[in-house]
């Protein structure tokens, strides 16, 4: 891969989206070519699949069907947007990727996590170079989400216990590979951004 692939992860309302925008701005300000995108979605087609996933009743799909929908959306996003951007040398920042599927759909089901990893190997084939996991108190983040006035709350509807489990899942995931950077998200935006920026500078050899 010529470019770099950075992902942002965390429970709902953890501040990934804001941090993605701040990171994009900062990288542009030091002259880097950046492409910011998100999952599920990031390109038409994948955004249409997103509608099926983030809206409606929480039990509208079985776990496996949901995994397949996420991967259909991811494969389309990969072909149309992610690979062309990475192969043109850009720093791609993606708000959520396969780690979200491991945490949200895999939950504690080992067989499902295995299926997710197999699907990632066979139909996606890339692993991020660097993944920020923004860790936040689920009580605070869930309140933030509920204030958003959005109808994309299918996963928020799973409630506080689910968000707490997801938080734990992310923390244990962060210990599994070197690419994971666990970031304390219980701080002001600029402080969280500075923590992320410090790591990105090291990773990209940016001298400040
Ligand atoms: P997102 O737009 O990142 O929501 P937020 O900004 O609130 O974090 O993601 C939408 C929802 O999709 C989110 O609740 C998490 C869920 N999701 C999964 O369950 N599995 C996945 O693989 C992905 C990418 C997202």
């Amino acid at each position: 891969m010529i470019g770099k692939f950075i992902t942002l992860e965390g429970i709902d309302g953890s501040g990934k989206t804001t941090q993605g925008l701040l990171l994009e701005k900062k990288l542009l300000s030091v002259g880097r070519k950046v492409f910011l995108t998100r999952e599920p979605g990031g390109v038409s087609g994948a955004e249409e699949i997103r509608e099926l996933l983030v809206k409606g009743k929480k039990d509208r799909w079985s776990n496996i069907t949901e995994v397949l929908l996420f991967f259909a959306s991811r494969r389309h996003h990969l072909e149309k947007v992610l690979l062309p951007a990475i192969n043109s040398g850009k720093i791609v920042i993606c708000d959520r990727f396969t780690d979200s599927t491991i945490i949200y759909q895999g939950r504690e089901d080992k067989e499902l996590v295995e299926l997710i990893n197999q699907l990632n190997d066979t139909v996606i084939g890339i692993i991020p170079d660097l993944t920020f996991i923004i860790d936040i108190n689920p009580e605070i983040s869930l309140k933030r989400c509920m204030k958003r006035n959005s109808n994309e709350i299918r996963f928020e509807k799973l409630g506080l216990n689910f968000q707490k489990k997801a938080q734990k899942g992310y923390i244990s995931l962060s210990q599994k590979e070197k690419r994971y950077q666990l970031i304390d998200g219980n701080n002001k935006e600029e402080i969280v951004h500075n923590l992320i920026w410090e790591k990105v500078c090291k990773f990209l050899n940016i001298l400040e």
Side-chain angles (χ1 to χ4, degrees):
M1 292 205 291
I2 307 170
K4 294 285 175 220
F5 185 33
I6 299 175
T7 56
L8 296 164
E9 294 284 347
I11 60 174
D12 295 282
S14 55
K16 299 171 288 82
T17 310
T18 309
Q19 291 305 326
L21 288 164
L22 290 172
L23 181 58
E24 177 191 37
K25 209 169 140 196
K26 188 75 184 181
L27 282 166
L28 289 171
S29 78
V30 296
R32 297 295 175 121
K33 288 190 286 173
V34 190
F35 183 74
L36 176 64
T37 185
R38 70 166 182 181
E39 288 212 347
V43 62
S44 64
E47 286 287 337
E48 284 166 54
I49 301 173
R50 177 188 175 93
E51 295 284 299
L52 301 173
L53 285 160
V54 296
K55 293 181 182 167
K57 286 195 182 148
K58 63 179 189 217
D59 58 357
R60 81 185 278 199
W61 308 112
S62 76
N63 249 350
I64 291 193
T65 309
E66 203 169 281
V67 166
L68 295 174
L69 285 169
F70 273 109
F71 272 97
S73 151
R74 183 160 301 135
R75 172 71 199 201
H76 189 65
H77 187 212
L78 181 85
E79 285 174 12
K80 297 283 171 193
V81 171
L82 287 179
L83 283 183
I86 297 170
N87 289 333
S88 73
K90 292 197 174 125
I91 298 165
V92 174
I93 307 167
C94 190
D95 188 338
R96 297 196 183 280
F97 199 61
T98 303
D99 292 318
S100 285
T101 318
I102 290 173
I103 299 296
Y104 281 76
Q105 283 66 47
R107 319 245 172 113
E108 278 135 22
D109 183 336
K110 272 198 181 150
E111 276 175 30
L112 208 50
V113 171
E114 220 165 90
L115 173 70
I116 293 165
N117 284 325
Q118 276 167 5
L119 282 169
N120 201 68
D121 287 350
T122 50
V123 300
I124 304 299
I126 61 168
I127 293 172
D129 298 300
L130 182 64
T131 297
F132 290 102
I133 296 180
I134 304 180
D135 182 48
I136 191 167
N137 176 341
E139 286 173 31
I140 296 173
S141 56
L142 196 58
K143 270 189 203 142
R144 248 191 221 171
C145 291
M146 292 311 183
K147 272 196 211 143
R148 271 186 199 159
N149 199 19
S150 158
N151 57 353
E152 292 192 344
I153 55 161
R154 197 174 144 246
F155 291 97
E156 283 89 334
K157 277 186 201 158
L158 295 170
L160 185 60
N161 273 345
F162 173 75
Q163 298 293 333
K164 281 185 177 163
K165 274 194 193 150
Q167 183 200 25
K168 272 198 184 155
Y170 270 124
I171 292 173
S172 64
L173 193 65
S174 75
Q175 287 147 8
K176 292 204 170 134
E177 281 173 43
K178 250 186 97 188
R179 73 177 160 102
Y180 294 114
Q181 297 291 338
L182 190 67
I183 298 287
D184 183 0
N186 296 293
N187 275 313
K188 284 194 182 144
E189 270 172 37
E190 313 90 73
I191 297 177
V192 179
H193 169 64
N194 289 340
L195 292 171
I196 292 177
W197 182 240
E198 203 183 303
K199 306 272 183 203
V200 170
C201 285
K202 262 196 202 141
F203 172 66
L204 295 174
N205 290 322
I206 296 173
L207 297 172
E208 276 221 309

